[in-house]
Amino acid sequence: MTAEANIKPANDLLAETAGVMAVVVGPSGAGKDTLMNLAARHFVGRPDVHFVRRVITREGDAGNEDHKSVSDADFDAMEHAGAFAVSWEAHGLKYGIPAGVRDELARGHLVIANGSRSALHRFQSAFPRLKVINITATREVLAERLMARGRESREDVLKRLERSSLTVQGSYDVADIDNSGTLEEAGRVIISVLEALIAR
């Protein structure tokens, strides 16, 4: 799959520079989906704030995210047709950000998408005004949350956390949010970050 072929270079996106694309990233267990859902409820009814419904090659009822579920073949066909502003692969799945987000950005709106740290270079190429929101937590908290899911052994979880980085690598405009404490605390921070982007 050649996702890069469907990314427009920044100098071809002059009409799309008015709005801001905020991409939310973070390690498993940091509470990324939960915080995004909380923020979406806060901004419900706001015509200038849009939370992206991603296209993913997984079952519709899997995970904690409202997404459009498609087969691998349908995803590839959509990608070939230019249906995505950004697409990437991770953990055996394919993810796509619908091309329609460009229309909202052209109107000067704020668009928020669930992303991946490994795909940030693609977001940066596609969106001239990009804000990265990195949701993190302490390794101890991450380990506790991941083990509570019951999908991995304690040994596997600890090994994965040792290999992973909690920071965003690269020259991006990043807001780090520590979600080690209460959801209410982190929720106030992400809402504040997003409100500041609306005011830009």
Side-chain angles (χ1 to χ4, degrees), residues 37-184:
N37 290 336
L38 186 154
R41 289 194 297 271
H42 176 82
F43 288 106
V44 68
R46 286 286 300 266
D48 55 344
V49 180
H50 305 271
F51 286 81
V52 175
R53 185 169 183 249
R54 298 191 297 180
V55 178
I56 311 176
T57 56
R58 73 179 176 202
E59 295 300 320
D61 58 354
N64 188 30
E65 173 186 355
D66 176 25
H67 64 279
K68 180 177 180 179
S69 176
V70 299
S71 67
D72 274 35
D74 286 343
F75 188 100
D76 292 345
M78 294 173 71
E79 186 175 47
H80 183 72
F84 303 130
V86 177
S87 56
W88 69 97
E89 292 187 38
H91 310 298
L93 298 174
K94 299 175 183 179
Y95 299 81
I97 303 297
V101 300
R102 298 186 184 119
D103 296 332
E104 304 303 338
L105 293 170
R107 297 184 181 100
H109 295 174
L110 172 63
V111 177
I112 303 102
N114 192 335
S116 169
R117 286 174 293 180
S118 65
L120 283 179
H121 64 290
R122 299 183 179 183
F123 279 87
Q124 190 173 57
S125 296
F127 305 111
R129 300 187 69 196
L130 178 69
K131 180 73 172 186
V132 179
I133 301 175
N134 183 40
I135 310 298
T136 65
T138 65
R139 293 187 188 278
E140 291 77 14
V141 168
L142 291 175
E144 184 178 309
R145 291 174 182 169
L146 290 173
M147 285 185 287
R149 295 177 180 178
R151 302 174 192 166
E152 299 172 279
S153 69
R154 177 181 178 83
E155 182 180 359
D156 289 340
V157 167
L158 294 177
K159 283 182 179 178
R160 178 144 69 94
L161 289 176
E162 286 175 6
R163 294 193 304 266
S164 65
S165 171
L166 301 183
T167 60
V168 171
Q169 307 298 317
S171 56
Y172 303 102
D173 179 8
V174 182
D176 289 300
I177 298 178
D178 186 343
N179 190 27
S180 301
T182 67
L183 178 61
E184 290 73 17

